[in-house]
Amino acid sequence: MISLTLPEHELDLEATLFSGQLFRWQRQDDGWLTGYVGTQRLCLRQTESTLELAETDEATVRHFLRLDELALGEQARRWSASDPLFASAWKRQPGLRLLRQDPHECFFSFLCASVAPIARISKMLQAVCEEASGEPLGPFPSLEALLTLRESQLRARGLGFRAERVVAAARKLAEKPDGWLDSLRGKPLAEIESELTPFPGIGRKIADCIALFSLDADAAVPVDTHIWRIAKTHYAPELRDASLTPANYERAASAFQRKFGPYAGWAQQTLFYQQAVK
DNA sequence: CAGGTC
DNA sequence: TCTGG
């Protein structure tokens, strides 16, 4: 087993893994948290400022948790000084990081996430895994395995209108060259959005989720119903009586980006958590 | 009524 | 629009 010591408030593992960024991590009875990044299984546990790793190499964990890329505690201090709303959200829940997910799993996860609460998204993804690979809690199924799924099968497992989108998006993804999704990592956000939104079921909000949670687009602000309400109340009061049109989506996201800068997506996650998860 | 999309 | 928590 490996132990890492982290600066205070740099990571709250439990909150991070269950903040609605990803949906398939499991709490074990002995306090360990387990999940997959691609085909690799991770086994993590945090006690105060110590992060323990089992069955897992340190480099993989640092990459997944993005530990060497942003000193979150310092950044949060600056955001707190300039914004009371962030300050109170961070005080209630410090250490909420963004993760670097596998883009493939992230793509299908958020395709299933439209107008569904987190608990239901988890159930739907477990059903997708079971149908595609026979393992509800195993590594996320490959594209080849997902291509065997039928809409009727997924509807029977409770995906509702998302069933058709999952099947169609998998077919479209199969037309792209190998590694295409991974190749979007690090590209400009606008380019990622224009590559992803042509897929059935992926509008700008879901494209921004995939970009932020798996493709290193740290400035992305997925404007869902919660973030929209926060934007109207705190950062873009001129939108108070407006509805969430594409133009207003842009205005809301821009308001966050003006306030929080190139890591606006990280700030967004702490504010989202307070509003939607806790 | 829920982290939208077409 | 689907549907379950």
Side-chain angles (χ1 to χ4, degrees):
Chain A
M1 194 184 73
I2 303 169
S3 289
L4 306 179
T5 303
L6 302 173
E8 196 182 359
H9 293 167
E10 201 59 25
L11 169 69
D12 184 327
L13 181 66
E14 164 96 14
T16 295
L17 292 174
F18 297 97
S19 65
Q21 301 181 52
L22 68 188
F23 306 95
R24 298 194 325 115
W25 275 66
Q26 304 294 318
R27 298 179 175 92
Q28 309 296 338
D29 342 322
D30 50 9
W32 288 90
L33 304 170
T34 59
Y36 285 87
V37 182
T39 55
Q40 186 161 12
R41 186 171 184 270
L42 271 63
C43 195
L44 308 174
R45 179 167 68 179
Q46 185 177 30
T47 51
E48 297 172 359
S49 59
T50 302
L51 179 65
E52 301 175 314
L53 334 177
E55 318 166 20
T56 310
D57 66 284
E58 181 176 340
T60 300
V61 173
R62 287 189 171 281
H63 189 257
F64 175 58
L65 296 178
R66 309 190 64 185
L67 290 178
D68 306 308
E69 297 171 50
L70 177 65
L72 181 60
E74 294 173 23
Q75 178 63 260
R77 207 170 309 123
R78 292 193 289 274
W79 284 333
S80 294
S82 68
D83 182 45
L85 183 67
F86 179 86
S88 73
W90 178 261
K91 192 174 177 186
R92 279 182 54 183
Q93 181 52 71
L96 201 60
R97 301 190 68 82
L98 289 191
L99 301 165
R100 178 178 285 117
Q101 298 181 41
D102 169 32
H104 171 72
E105 175 169 350
C106 193
F107 179 97
F108 287 98
S109 295
F110 282 92
L111 200 47
C112 293
S114 331
V115 277
I118 291 175
R120 188 178 169 198
I121 299 169
S122 298
K123 279 202 69 177
M124 288 189 281
L125 290 172
Q126 196 166 312
V128 167
C129 292
E130 191 169 5
E131 293 296 321
S133 69
E135 294 180 80
L137 302 178
F140 195 79
S142 66
L143 182 56
E144 292 67 33
L146 294 174
L147 287 167
T148 67
L149 297 171
R150 299 282 171 261
E151 179 186 340
S152 56
Q153 181 182 9
L154 294 179
R155 279 190 175 270
R157 295 297 309 259
L159 269 77
F161 61 78
R162 302 161 197 84
E164 181 182 13
R165 299 172 179 182
V166 168
V167 170
R171 271 203 297 267
K172 186 174 171 74
L173 199 53
E175 295 168 5
K176 301 285 187 183
D178 277 352
W180 177 79
L181 204 46
D182 291 324
S183 76
L184 298 179
R185 181 168 284 163
K187 295 263 174 68
L189 177 57
E191 184 178 338
I192 295 174
E193 288 169 340
S194 66
E195 292 286 3
L196 292 182
T197 48
F199 282 84
I202 301 191
R204 186 160 176 197
K205 188 268 171 182
I206 287 177
D208 282 345
C209 286
I210 300 167
L212 178 64
F213 299 141
S214 75
L215 298 172
D216 293 7
D218 298 300
V221 178
V223 182
D224 71 331
T225 159
H226 303 289
I227 293 298
W228 173 240
R229 182 160 50 241
I230 293 173
K232 290 202 290 188
T233 314
H234 296 277
Y235 304 120
E238 70 277 12
L239 298 175
R240 180 168 299 276
D241 299 315
S243 61
L244 187 46
T245 62
N248 287 336
Y249 184 110
E250 180 62 31
R251 292 186 183 103
S254 298
F256 273 82
Q257 288 154 355
R258 268 196 309 279
K259 185 73 193 175
F260 297 108
Y263 286 89
W266 292 60
Q268 169 274 148
Q269 192 66 15
T270 291
L271 293 166
F272 170 80
Y273 186 87
Q274 181 178 34
Q275 188 84 25
V277 183
K278 268 213 163 145

